Amino acid sequence: MLMPSVKIKLFATLRKKYGVREVYVECDGTIKDLIENASKILGEEFFNDIYDKERNKVRDDRIFTVNGRNIKDFKGNIEIKDDDVIAIFPPLAGG
Amino acid sequence: MSGGYMGRILRVDLTARTLNVESTPEEAVKRYLGGKGYAVYTFYQYLKDYESKGILPADIDPLGPENVLIFATGPGTGVPGFPCSGRYHAMALRSPLTGSIGSANSGGEWGPFLKFSGFDAIVIEGASEDPVYLSIVNGEADLRSACDLWGKNVFDTCRILTRKVGGKNKSVACIGPAGENLARMACIVNDEHRAAGRTGLGAVMGSKKLKAVVVSGEEKVPVAEPDKFREISRECLEKMRKNAVTGEGLPTYGTAILINVINTAGGLPYKNWQTGVNPDAEKISGETLAETYLTARRACWGCIIGCGRITSVKTGPFQILGTEGPEYESIWALGGSTAVKDLDAIIKANHYCDEFGLDPISMGSTIAAAMELNERGYIPKEDLQGLDLKFGNSAALVEAVWRTAYRTGFGKYLALGSKKLCEIYGHPELSMSVKGLEMPAYDPRAIKGIGLTYATANRGGCHVTGYTVSSEILGIPEKIDPLVPEGKAKWAKLFQDFTCVVNSTVNCLFSTFALGVKDYADLLSAITGWSLTEDDLLRIGERIYNLERVIINKYGFDGNDDTLPGRLIGEPMPEGPAKGHVVELEKMKEEYYKLRGWINGKPSSEKLKELEIEL
């Protein structure tokens, strides 16, 4: 089966820490697999930086969007599809 | 007098050249705190007095001597240990840009230093015939000639007056050429780069021939319960240090870090709000600013965040060896809305805004409106006098800013603001403003709640009246869906009421990313010696917002003015995550008015009675 391939964009302190603006990653359609595969490229620490293992979900303090929509605003399961664009931000603010 | 207050207010009549010291009205500040609340309370007394003399509020000329300008601090301002209390609130009875109430807030050092000079607030009425500046040093106030300062830019004025005044804790708030020339979006700048930016308060100072207010002093702000305050302060400061936003995000990147996240949500207005997706956002982002231009950080007095950016453009036509900013809003207005993707030029344009005393939001938005008017062929070539106002033109952006300050060439039209400009050229629909105030950097087609805030903000298109973006995009204090109109009224009202408290405390809004209403109630109780609960504070905030609304009702604003530009209501977002969305304003407004107890944008008599507002 063809795995969905998506672009992950990193911002702010995450970009600084991992030294990349974006990476291309394949996954089985779930966010957890996507982040696991991204950590194979970016290092194991990346997984813990983004994912809350104990609660089995993306960390609450991350702004994690799929095609511009925050996953916290999705109703039901999220399926990652081919060519989706993922953006991940640490906590930030301004005004 | 309660703790937190110096107990003295300076009333200046520039026409009669008199200065009177009055006691801070204790009963009034118990009901309105200070800062914005004090100014709104005082304005209402002025309007009653004017009406008794047969002067109708709607007839008050914003640039006439009858306009009143207030600089006010609050009980938190200048209290060491109150997180981020280095601010003041400035207000005018009427804004020359909008005709509504004038209102703006600024950081730096001026607010605390006004208190250290012995005063809680300054009320300025009348107008001088010749340029003057107001000097307040250790409780002694004096009006002095500013003939030798008239025409000087903000930086020179700040430096000259800082040198002139003796003593410790010196700070200057002043206008530049834009204020002197009555550009409607002129602002008041203090400490060279901090500004009470919005609603044209610089033009009010210019109309009064008041070049500057310099303050200096060594008095300390009294605190009613110092031991209790120290304990609460320690806890609050710890919360702020540990908070990922106030402890890391804002210190590292400043406000410009928002460019990418708002663009990702499809809400970063581009080309005068034709869309909410900027293809060049990365080039003007906070990350790029930090990587390429940032040289140091700057914090306001008493601030542990330090979001201010010291930057430099090292080479090229827009070279500046040292400047401050730009902030998120300035980058967006001068860059995003104008489609200028050259951060060098944006930094230069922002520097000019500080140097000449212009609000970058209204400035950039007016230039963007002019660019759209021009590209659609609505501006006769001879009016432009060679200014090539096309989207993306960096050189034209920078030239347009200084031309506005000096009102030369096409600058004489730009200086009127986008509403008047677009009316002159027959297309008022291209002004992206509410009540005449240009909206800031969030497209409400992608962030619905902020649309309700823009529409119902008393001063006009404003985000810091009630920053629902905090919940809708950033998830603070809790995440709500930006594309859903339902339930936004509750949030808009809560943010607006709490913001009134913050602006009357007077403190920095950024503290609220880590601190809540309870923290404010505890801090203020210990400072003043009053027992304030969360409900008490929100009630004070609601009282201030409603009295401010009563004032603008008197100028003729009502529910019909609580609206948005047609583009946002009638033109679906063409792309991005909010593609196809418009703002369902009427639906949100209906719910909002119900919650507010307003009828067609006017507080009901029951609501005023409930809030104990005596008219």
Side-chain angles (χ1 to χ4, degrees):
Chain A
M1 193 182 89
L2 203 61
M3 303 270 273
S5 173
V6 303
K7 177 157 74 176
I8 300 179
K9 296 165 80 173
L10 300 180
F11 295 92
T13 45
L14 291 172
R15 178 184 292 181
K16 201 174 168 188
K17 182 172 177 180
Y18 293 99
V20 290
R21 284 188 178 191
E22 54 192 47
V23 284
Y24 287 85
V25 179
E26 287 188 341
C27 72
D28 65 3
T30 65
I31 288 176
K32 189 178 182 186
D33 189 58
L34 175 80
I35 299 168
E36 276 173 350
N37 289 345
S39 33
K40 286 173 191 161
I41 303 167
L42 298 171
E44 270 180 43
E45 209 178 333
F46 182 75
F47 187 83
N48 293 325
D49 255 343
I50 309 300
Y51 208 79
D52 183 339
K53 265 185 202 164
E54 283 178 17
R55 299 169 69 198
N56 199 28
K57 60 190 278 232
V58 170
R59 278 173 53 164
D60 270 344
D61 62 353
R62 298 290 177 246
I63 297 174
F64 189 109
T65 70
V66 179
N67 301 325
R69 291 283 284 152
N70 192 313
I71 55 169
K72 289 177 182 163
D73 298 324
F74 279 71
K75 309 280 181 281
N77 282 339
I78 300 165
E79 191 192 342
I80 306 293
K81 298 185 198 69
D82 210 30
D83 292 333
D84 278 352
V85 177
I86 311 295
I88 312 175
F89 301 83
L92 45 84
Chain B
M1 190 71 213
S2 304
Y5 299 92
M6 309 311 287
R8 303 201 312 162
I9 283 167
L10 180 66
R11 199 175 292 255
V12 181
D13 184 335
L14 289 170
T15 307
R17 291 209 172 220
T18 55
L19 297 102
N20 289 305
V21 177
E22 300 169 4
S23 296
T24 302
E26 185 145 16
E27 282 312 305
V29 294
K30 275 186 176 166
R31 291 159 52 74
Y32 293 93
L33 282 181
K36 177 177 177 166
Y38 168 75
V40 167
Y41 164 81
T42 306
F43 284 158
Y44 194 74
Q45 312 307 314
Y46 269 98
L47 289 183
K48 277 205 291 194
D49 183 49
Y50 282 163
E51 283 175 312
S52 73
K53 291 173 181 163
I55 302 167
L56 294 175
D59 291 339
I60 293 169
D61 177 1
L63 296 175
E66 65 270 34
N67 201 359
V68 181
L69 179 67
I70 293 180
F71 293 87
T73 64
T77 310
V79 178
F82 197 124
C84 313
S85 63
R87 300 190 76 86
Y88 66 94
H89 205 82
M91 291 192 82
L93 202 51
R94 292 195 87 183
S95 154
L97 181 67
T98 69
S100 183
I101 201 161
S103 179
N105 193 291
S106 181
E109 298 173 322
W110 195 90
F113 291 1
L114 170 64
K115 280 180 93 167
F116 302 165
S117 80
F119 291 94
D120 290 312
I122 311 168
V123 181
I124 299 164
E125 53 185 67
S128 175
E129 280 186 18
D130 303 313
V132 290
Y133 75 92
L134 177 62
S135 165
I136 308 174
V137 180
N138 288 321
E140 294 295 319
D142 195 13
L143 278 173
R144 297 177 185 175
S145 171
C147 289
D148 56 340
L149 294 170
W150 205 250
K152 292 203 185 304
N153 68 37
V154 163
F155 306 145
D156 289 343
T157 304
C158 285
R159 286 166 198 163
I160 290 167
L161 285 179
T162 307
R163 273 202 301 271
K164 255 188 193 175
V165 71
K168 286 183 177 173
N169 304 325
K170 295 166 282 193
S171 178
V172 175
C174 68
I175 56 170
E180 294 175 11
N181 296 322
L182 310 181
R184 301 303 192 264
M185 70 286 277
C187 62
I188 301 169
V189 187
N190 57 280
D191 307 305
E192 299 192 25
H193 290 284
R194 297 280 115 191
R198 308 230 62 200
T199 67
L201 299 180
V204 177
M205 274 181 77
S207 72
K208 294 183 178 305
K209 292 275 197 309
L210 179 63
K211 177 69 178 174
V213 182
V214 55
V215 293
S216 166
E218 296 181 54
E219 286 192 37
K220 288 188 166 47
V221 184
V223 173
E225 299 174 74
D227 292 340
K228 189 176 163 194
F229 175 73
R230 255 193 301 278
E231 193 183 318
I232 298 164
S233 160
R234 202 177 297 125
E235 285 168 17
C236 288
L237 289 168
E238 193 56 20
K239 267 190 200 177
M240 292 189 66
R241 281 191 200 98
K242 283 185 176 163
N243 182 281
V245 168
T246 51
E248 188 180 3
L250 278 169
T252 308
Y253 289 105
T255 57
I257 197 65
L258 283 184
I259 291 279
N260 275 324
V261 72
I262 301 299
N263 195 51
T264 297
L268 189 68
Y270 183 62
K271 292 191 171 179
N272 200 34
W273 302 68
Q274 293 183 57
T275 175
V277 180
N278 183 336
D280 297 307
E282 192 62 64
K283 294 189 177 83
I284 60 171
S285 67
E287 287 90 340
T288 303
L289 187 74
E291 284 160 17
T292 316
Y293 300 91
L294 185 69
T295 58
R297 289 163 51 200
R298 180 181 172 185
C300 298
W301 186 93
C303 177
I304 61 164
I305 300 175
C307 70
R309 309 285 94 179
I310 308 290
T311 51
S312 71
V313 178
K314 293 187 179 63
T315 56
F318 304 117
Q319 184 188 49
I320 312 169
L321 296 180
T323 186
E324 196 171 325
E327 302 290 333
Y328 166 67
E329 291 292 342
S330 324
I331 291 178
W332 162 76
L334 297 164
S337 198
T338 62
V340 168
K341 57 187 173 190
D342 178 357
L343 205 40
D344 288 17
I346 296 167
I347 292 172
K348 183 73 173 184
N350 183 65
H351 182 81
Y352 275 168
C353 284
D354 287 352
E355 183 172 352
F356 303 134
L358 286 160
D359 165 18
I361 300 180
S362 285
M363 182 73 267
S365 298
T366 303
I367 294 168
M371 285 172 166
E372 186 168 1
L373 284 167
N374 184 40
E375 290 204 350
R376 291 181 186 274
Y378 300 146
I379 304 178
K381 205 176 168 189
E382 56 271 25
D383 283 10
L384 290 165
Q385 297 188 38
L387 187 63
D388 186 23
L389 281 173
K390 297 264 171 58
F391 281 118
N393 187 337
S394 304
L397 165 76
V398 174
E399 184 179 339
V401 174
W402 68 256
R403 284 200 178 280
T404 302
Y406 288 99
R407 300 185 77 159
T408 62
F410 193 68
K412 69 184 173 194
Y413 296 105
L414 292 169
L416 300 173
S418 72
K419 184 167 184 275
K420 290 265 164 40
L421 175 84
C422 292
E423 280 169 4
I424 287 169
Y425 291 104
H427 288 275
E429 76 281 3
L430 295 185
S431 167
M432 294 296 114
S433 62
V434 175
K435 300 184 182 76
L437 185 67
E438 290 77 13
M439 295 178 297
Y442 311 91
D443 192 317
R445 288 173 292 188
I447 311 166
K448 305 279 168 94
I450 199 68
L452 180 62
T453 294
Y454 291 161
T456 58
N458 290 325
R459 77 172 179 177
C462 164
H463 63 305
V464 283
T465 292
Y467 192 61
T468 61
V469 174
S470 185
S471 279
E472 294 183 284
I473 299 294
L474 309 173
I476 307 169
E478 65 181 80
K479 183 74 182 71
I480 54 174
D481 190 338
L483 293 180
V484 171
E486 287 82 13
K488 294 297 164 72
K490 179 190 78 175
W491 285 99
K493 179 182 179 296
L494 180 63
F495 274 105
Q496 288 171 342
D497 290 347
F498 185 34
T499 301
C500 278
V501 172
V502 178
N503 286 339
S504 304
T505 293
V506 174
N507 206 39
C508 179
L509 271 179
F510 289 173
S511 66
T512 64
F513 289 125
L515 305 180
V517 187
K518 172 81 166 61
D519 297 306
Y520 266 72
D522 292 346
L523 286 163
L524 287 171
S525 294
I527 290 173
T528 58
W530 310 332
S531 289
L532 291 163
T533 64
E534 290 171 76
D535 287 347
D536 292 336
L537 276 191
L538 288 176
R539 186 173 159 79
I540 289 172
E542 188 177 9
R543 182 181 294 132
I544 295 165
Y545 205 73
N546 275 269
L547 184 58
E548 190 183 37
R549 175 55 62 144
V550 169
I551 291 172
I552 76 161
N553 289 153
K554 283 181 176 288
Y555 301 145
F557 292 94
D558 62 20
N560 296 322
D561 302 293
D562 287 344
T563 189
L564 292 170
R567 176 164 280 171
L568 306 181
I569 297 170
E571 292 178 25
M573 180 67 85
E575 59 187 317
K579 186 177 179 179
H581 279 263
V582 293
V583 187
E584 299 90 339
L585 183 63
E586 288 309 313
K587 192 175 174 179
M588 292 192 288
K589 229 169 82 174
E590 193 183 331
E591 194 185 343
Y592 175 86
Y593 282 174
K594 206 170 165 186
L595 275 174
R596 276 264 178 239
W598 291 2
I599 300 158
N600 189 31
K602 296 179 178 182
S604 64
S605 52
E606 292 80 17
K607 175 51 73 176
L608 295 175
K609 199 173 163 191
E610 180 198 319
L611 293 170
E612 296 170 281
I613 295 174
E614 290 167 16
L615 301 181

